[in-house]
CSV table of all heavy atoms in Angstrom, one decimal:
chain,number,residue,atom,x,y,z
A,39,GLU,N,113.5,82.7,-11.6
A,39,GLU,CA,112.5,82.0,-12.3
A,39,GLU,C,112.2,80.6,-12.0
A,39,GLU,O,111.2,80.0,-12.4
A,39,GLU,CB,112.6,82.3,-13.9
A,39,GLU,CG,113.6,81.5,-14.5
A,39,GLU,CD,115.1,82.1,-14.7
A,39,GLU,OE1,115.3,83.0,-13.8
A,39,GLU,OE2,115.7,81.8,-15.5
A,41,ASN,N,111.4,79.6,-9.3
A,41,ASN,CA,110.2,79.4,-8.3
A,41,ASN,C,109.0,79.1,-9.1
A,41,ASN,O,108.2,78.6,-8.5
A,41,ASN,CB,110.0,80.6,-7.7
A,41,ASN,CG,111.2,81.2,-6.8
A,41,ASN,OD1,111.7,80.4,-6.0
A,41,ASN,ND2,111.5,82.5,-6.8
A,71,LEU,N,103.7,75.5,-2.2
A,71,LEU,CA,103.5,74.1,-1.8
A,71,LEU,C,102.0,73.8,-1.4
A,71,LEU,O,101.5,72.8,-1.8
A,71,LEU,CB,104.4,73.8,-0.5
A,71,LEU,CG,104.7,72.3,-0.3
A,71,LEU,CD1,105.7,71.7,-1.4
A,71,LEU,CD2,105.3,72.0,1.1
A,212,LEU,N,128.5,112.1,12.9
A,212,LEU,CA,127.4,112.8,13.7
A,212,LEU,C,128.2,114.1,14.4
A,212,LEU,O,127.5,115.2,14.5
A,212,LEU,CB,126.9,111.9,14.8
A,212,LEU,CG,126.1,110.8,14.3
A,212,LEU,CD1,125.8,109.8,15.6
A,212,LEU,CD2,125.0,111.0,13.5
A,323,HIS,N,115.1,107.5,-1.2
A,323,HIS,CA,114.9,108.9,-1.1
A,323,HIS,C,116.0,109.5,-0.3
A,323,HIS,O,116.5,110.6,-0.5
A,323,HIS,CB,113.6,109.1,-0.3
A,323,HIS,CG,112.3,108.8,-1.2
A,323,HIS,ND1,112.0,109.5,-2.2
A,323,HIS,CD2,111.7,107.7,-1.2
A,323,HIS,CE1,110.9,108.9,-2.7
A,323,HIS,NE2,110.7,107.8,-2.2
A,367,LEU,N,128.4,111.7,-6.0
A,367,LEU,CA,128.7,110.7,-4.9
A,367,LEU,C,129.8,111.5,-4.1
A,367,LEU,O,131.0,111.4,-4.6
A,367,LEU,CB,129.0,109.4,-5.3
A,367,LEU,CG,129.4,108.4,-4.3
A,367,LEU,CD1,128.2,108.3,-3.2
A,367,LEU,CD2,129.6,107.0,-5.0
Side-chain angles (χ1 to χ4, degrees):
E39 80 263 26
N41 293 318
L71 200 74
L212 298 175
H323 292 283
L367 179 55

